[in-house]
Amino acid sequence: MAITLQKGQRIDLTKGNPTLSNILIGLGWDPVQSSGGGGLLSSLFGGGNKAPNVDCDASVLMLQDDKITKKEQLIYFGNLKSSCGSVTHSGDNLTGEGAGDDEQILVSLQDIPSYINKLVFVVNIYDCVRRKQDFGMLKNAYIRVQNQDNGEQLLRFNLSDDYSGKTSLVVAEIYRHGSDWKFGAIGDGTKDTNLQELVRSYS
C-alpha cells in the first residue's frame, strides 16, 4: 500500500528497496468549477459550471550541489529528456482535465550522474500574468511515485494548502542521502510568474 505523506515529511526510497531504479513520477491537478449563475466569473469563463482553462507545466530541476549549472539540467516541455537519459518528461498537458496524472516524468535512479545530488519537481502556470491565473483556480493537486518495473505505487503527497495568489509550486524533491535516495514532500507556493524566474533561485 502506498504511503501518504504530509507536507515536510521525508522518506527513504531505496534504503529498504535497494533494487528500485525505474520510477514514474505522476503529477495531477483539476480545475476548480466556477459557481455559474452570471456575474464576473460567468462572464470570464462563459457561464454555467465551466472551469477556467489553466495550463500548468511540470518541470524537473537536476541540481549539482543544490544549483542548476547548465540549461540541460532543466527538463520541461521544451526539453523533454536529459542529456544523460535518466529523466524523461511525458510532454505538456494543456488543460488539466480528466482523471489520473496530468503529466508524468520517468526517472532512472541508477543512470543519474553522480554529480547530480537532487531532483526538484516544480509546477508553474503558463502565461499566468496575462491570463490572470493562480493556483487558487486549481484543486486536488498531487504528486505520486510508482515503481515502473512492477507498477507498485510507493507514495503519494496531496498538496492541500491554499495556494491562492501563488503562480508556481515547488512540489517535492528526490535527493541523495549517502548511497541512497530519499523523497521530500515540499508543497511550497511562490509568486514566480514563469519557469525562468523559478529556476533563477537555484542558480
Side-chain angles (χ1 to χ4, degrees), residues 56-161:
C56 290
D57 296 320
S59 306
V60 186
L61 287 61
M62 303 180 70
L63 304 186
Q64 179 178 353
D65 297 325
D66 293 341
K67 301 287 186 183
I68 277 199
T69 60
K70 50 188 176 182
K71 62 182 182 180
E72 291 81 8
Q73 289 170 220
L74 175 62
I75 312 304
Y76 68 113
F77 66 86
N79 178 36
L80 293 176
K81 191 168 186 176
S82 64
S83 57
C84 61
S86 65
V87 178
T88 304
H89 195 301
S90 66
D92 193 15
N93 179 313
L94 299 177
T95 66
E97 295 181 347
D101 301 333
D102 290 298
E103 295 190 8
Q104 294 181 333
I105 296 157
L106 300 178
V107 178
S108 176
L109 295 173
Q110 66 182 7
D111 293 330
I112 297 174
S114 58
Y115 59 83
I116 297 294
N117 73 302
K118 185 180 293 185
L119 305 182
V120 178
F121 299 86
V122 302
V123 179
N124 68 288
I125 298 175
Y126 178 74
D127 205 15
C128 64
V129 174
R130 185 182 66 83
R131 296 183 179 185
K132 298 180 180 178
Q133 295 175 336
D134 63 58
F135 278 100
M137 304 169 82
L138 298 173
K139 62 180 180 179
N140 302 331
Y142 68 85
I143 183 171
R144 68 184 187 93
V145 179
Q146 175 180 306
N147 184 335
Q148 184 69 355
D149 292 328
N150 62 14
E152 177 189 4
Q153 182 158 301
L154 303 174
L155 61 89
R156 182 183 177 103
F157 168 42
N158 296 316
L159 285 77
S160 56
D161 284 3

Side-chain angles (χ1 to χ4, degrees), residues 4-21:
T4 300
L5 298 181
Q6 303 298 316
K7 182 175 180 176
Q9 282 190 296
R10 298 177 178 274
I11 188 172
D12 286 305
L13 284 177
T14 57
K15 188 174 183 179
N17 191 2
T19 61
L20 181 67
S21 178

